[in-house]
Amino acid sequence: RTVRVWLKRDSGQYWPSIYHAMPSPCSCMSFNPETRRLSIGLDNGTISEFILSEDYNKMTLVKSYQAHQSRVMMILFVLEMEWVLSTGQDKHFTWHCSESGQRLGGYRTSAGACGLQFDVETRHVFVGDHSGQVTILKLEQESCSLVTTFKGHTGGVTALCWDPIQRVLFSGSSDHSIIMWDIGGRKGTAIELQGHNDKVQSLSYAHHTRQLISCGADGGIVVWNMDVERQETPEWLDSDSCQKCDQPFFWNFKQMWDSKKIGLRQHHCRKCGKAVCGKCSSKRSSIPLMGFEFEVRVCDSCHESITDEERAPTATFHDSKHNIVHVHFDATRGWLLTSGTDKVIKVGARRLLLA
């Protein structure tokens, strides 16, 4: 239940300057260096706001917001709007005025929210939840309106990352995938990235190199080159028989009876999206420009059409050797920091992004 501030001394060691006890266990925090404003979310649904002194030896409680009915999951302080945005286990997104402390509005999500991003220019907020969808809201001073809902993941959304320059939203999920939602250039385009063997835990974006950094529960760090022309993954087509050899699938009783053939299991080609049988999709191939860095099922004709250049990887893979729960990229120093369930913080050098 404590909040501590550590200062680096001349000796290079860190020593605690502040030890502050909170009324409830802390669940998340947000710090703004310009205003030295520290917002702390608690298990009881309260957000406590402090101002730190210039020498960081004192923290003064400014106000508290009764933002949620249960644990606060994420907090964002928006200096330009003087807003405090938050999500909670009570399936609510709320925002407050940081000057008056007044609650400005709220929105109930379909499930507990675990991802939160905000675009200052358009006042759009992105909320990812455990149902696997991303809700986009337009915020006004005291009201909000639903813009749209993105549904592409088969598992819960575990991380969100917003690129305000290219106007692209990245969502990571427990289904091991990342989806790039192109909101700016080609509205509605969704590109899937497959490079993890376990759930995606955290995302970070390097604007100057246009690289996405994703970390997973398997300890894998994937650095994606987003400065390439990627292709949207096709929708899977529905069919009662193989769209290559016309053999019936096992639920197509009429064709099975007419042709006196046993029905086959349905598969899908990841490149063209056609419904095919196992015999017509016996090959595997990576398709990096479509986000498939690992080999996936493709039909035989698509396998023949994929060139060696198209199989060239667009991502690099690194093993952090710990279950990562959060990643932060420091562009000024070229450092990549990860923290894991093993209670260890690791620092990666610039060469990770240049590999």
Side-chain angles (χ1 to χ4, degrees), residues 244 269 271-272 276-284 297-306 311:
K244 292 293 183 180
C269 173
K271 191 174 193 302
C272 66
V276 290
C277 66
K279 185 178 180 181
C280 293
S281 59
S282 59
K283 304 288 178 39
R284 301 290 186 276
R297 181 186 295 272
V298 293
C299 65
D300 293 352
S301 57
C302 282
H303 186 270
E304 294 177 2
S305 69
I306 301 174
R311 290 190 177 94

Side-chain angles (χ1 to χ4, degrees), residues 95-133:
W95 75 104
H96 291 74
C97 175
S98 61
E99 293 181 314
S100 65
Q102 178 185 357
R103 177 187 167 108
L104 299 176
Y107 184 87
R108 182 175 174 83
T109 56
S110 59
C114 41
L116 181 63
Q117 292 285 288
F118 182 73
D119 181 56
V120 175
E121 183 181 346
T122 63
R123 298 187 184 182
H124 284 145
V125 65
F126 309 95
V127 183
D129 62 46
H130 290 299
S131 72
Q133 68 181 25

Side-chain angles (χ1 to χ4, degrees), residues 202-204 213 215 324 326-331 335-339 346:
S202 186
L203 299 171
S204 184
I213 306 159
C215 299
I324 299 172
H326 183 72
V327 62
H328 173 74
F329 175 65
D330 185 345
W335 287 1
L336 185 70
L337 293 86
T338 63
S339 58
K346 296 187 178 183

